[in-house]
Amino acid sequence: MNDLKIFAGRANPALSAKICDYIGIPSGKVSLGNFPDGEISCKIDEDIRGRDVFLIQPTCPPVNDNIMELLVMIDSCKRASAERITTVIPYFGYARQDRKDEGRVPITAKLVANIITRAGADRVVTMDLHAAQIQGFFDVPVDHLYAAPVLNDYMAQLGYQRDDYVVVSPDEGSIKRALGHAKRLGGSVAIVDKRRSSAEETHQENIIGGSIDGKVVLMFDDMISTAGSIVGAANLCKTAGAREIYVGVTHPVFAGPAIERLNASPITEMVFTDTIPLANPSLLQQTHPKFTALTVAPLLGEAIKRIHRNESVSFLFK
Ligand code: R5P
């Protein structure tokens, strides 16, 4: 592991520290700061010539600052003659604009992928992209990991029988994810008919598929932003007679009214991972005692180890 170097951006230092602990190497020394006008400064404080460098930086809020910091770090490593630069982006922001669904709008997922690649990233490690095909937006190898094993392990120890569950997909885009979880945890699959009216507002009117009455509902999503999608789906499940409602999400963005909405919802327990830091952790604990945070550090750490040793990463999907 001598030539492996891991550097953390400022987006999620706690996750980076856990990844380094898992691998058993110290975090690389880097000085990051801001000039008086807000521009980002970066100095890699150790020799990385010929090293296999991994930069850990989710592009979560403040999204633009975190992307720019990642680019500045890539450029520093490239100019310091790193042998290979892998960007570990546990949460890839701007991913939801992944196609032109009306005229004169950008495809930001492709734009950001282009910028990161052009800056000098040789490969990318990421987790639960909003749409799996975003992998193809990068012209370098992408290892796309899933938090599902971590979320499934947690749900499996709740003490219910496989027949107690119905896995509810909060929208039609998450059907494949719901089927995957149902295969491992049990239960039938139902789908919420979700219509989005704006970035903050969604409307849910029907549940298509299996019966919810008396069941333990499990819902999984890639992210919660304003919580409109998940809370709308949870309300519908409650009305349909759900006994309990458990939610598992990979990226807890919790933007705008999310905390208030989750707090007032019929969700029994909300489970999420540490791909991004919580915007306001103390508020969460005060308002909703049933938030549970799980770590994906071992999963990311194992992927980094395997990439460094040129070993299979798909092993982690099993
Ligand atoms: C939608 O396609 C995504 O998978 C999430 O369900 C959605 O982006 C969450 O957004 P919000 O929490 O604002 O409803």
Side-chain angles (χ1 to χ4, degrees):
M1 293 285 175
N2 277 350
D3 59 345
L4 169 61
K5 286 282 176 194
I6 296 181
F7 295 95
R10 288 179 289 180
N12 196 348
L15 175 65
S16 306
K18 283 186 197 159
I19 291 172
C20 287
D21 277 355
Y22 176 84
I23 298 175
I25 61 168
S27 189
K29 293 190 178 62
V30 55
S31 301
L32 290 161
N34 290 86
F35 291 107
D37 61 358
E39 290 179 3
I40 294 167
S41 65
C42 171
K43 179 166 168 52
I44 306 292
D45 292 320
E46 51 189 292
D47 178 26
I48 53 166
R49 189 173 290 272
R51 302 297 182 103
D52 192 15
V53 171
F54 289 76
L55 304 177
I56 301 175
Q57 179 86 326
T59 52
C60 52
V63 185
N64 300 336
D65 288 348
N66 287 333
I67 290 175
M68 191 62 205
E69 187 167 277
L70 177 62
L71 300 176
V72 166
M73 291 176 79
I74 295 170
D75 195 61
S76 305
C77 294
K78 198 170 132 191
R79 293 177 193 284
S81 304
E83 173 69 21
R84 180 173 69 169
I85 302 166
T86 301
T87 51
V88 181
I89 311 174
Y91 167 74
F92 181 64
Y94 274 117
R96 286 187 292 174
Q97 297 178 65
D98 59 358
R99 65 192 180 285
K100 278 185 74 170
D101 51 6
E102 57 180 316
R104 303 181 296 284
V105 296
I107 303 181
T108 57
K110 173 64 177 153
L111 173 67
V112 176
N114 281 349
I115 298 170
I116 290 170
T117 312
R118 288 298 294 272
D122 295 305
R123 57 187 305 140
V124 175
V125 177
T126 189
M127 187 168 268
D128 286 316
L129 286 165
H130 177 62
Q133 55 269 29
I134 292 172
Q135 291 168 71
F137 291 2
F138 292 91
D139 289 328
V140 292
V142 175
D143 290 301
H144 184 204
L145 308 178
Y146 303 94
V150 175
L151 297 171
N152 284 343
D153 281 355
Y154 184 84
M155 299 299 186
Q157 55 77 49
L158 290 172
Y160 298 101
Q161 303 298 311
R162 287 175 72 87
D163 285 350
D164 292 333
Y165 291 132
V166 52
V167 181
V168 176
S169 174
D171 54 34
E172 82 281 0
S174 297
I175 296 173
K176 221 175 144 193
R177 179 180 292 115
L179 287 167
H181 285 285
K183 196 170 158 196
R184 280 157 189 83
L185 294 166
S188 56
V189 171
I191 304 154
V192 170
D193 174 13
K194 173 181 112 177
R195 312 283 160 97
R196 185 175 281 286
S197 44
S198 74
E200 287 203 357
E201 298 300 329
T202 56
H203 294 288
Q204 292 90 342
E205 277 176 19
N206 300 302
I207 301 177
I208 306 159
S211 166
I212 308 290
D213 197 20
K215 293 286 187 180
V216 175
V217 165
L218 300 177
M219 277 197 288
F220 298 92
D221 212 341
D222 57 327
M223 64 187 285
I224 286 185
S225 180
T226 65
S229 305
I230 215 74
V231 170
N235 288 338
L236 212 51
C237 291
K238 194 68 193 171
T239 307
R243 181 162 33 132
E244 304 287 351
I245 303 170
Y246 292 87
V247 173
V249 295
T250 307
H251 312 297
V253 177
F254 295 160
I259 304 291
E260 270 169 37
R261 284 174 170 177
L262 291 167
N263 207 26
S265 78
I267 293 169
T268 311
E269 186 167 357
M270 170 81 239
V271 184
F272 52 84
T273 84
D274 57 354
T275 55
I276 62 178
L278 292 178
N280 192 339
S282 57
L283 182 64
L284 273 190
Q285 277 151 14
Q286 285 161 20
T287 56
H288 198 310
K290 291 183 179 170
F291 280 93
T292 302
L294 306 173
T295 186
V296 288
L299 210 51
L300 289 165
E302 191 58 34
I304 291 172
K305 259 163 73 171
R306 287 172 173 274
I307 291 166
H308 177 63
R309 294 172 173 161
N310 277 327
E311 292 172 359
S312 165
V313 170
S314 51
F315 171 86
L316 295 173
F317 306 148
K318 296 197 175 112

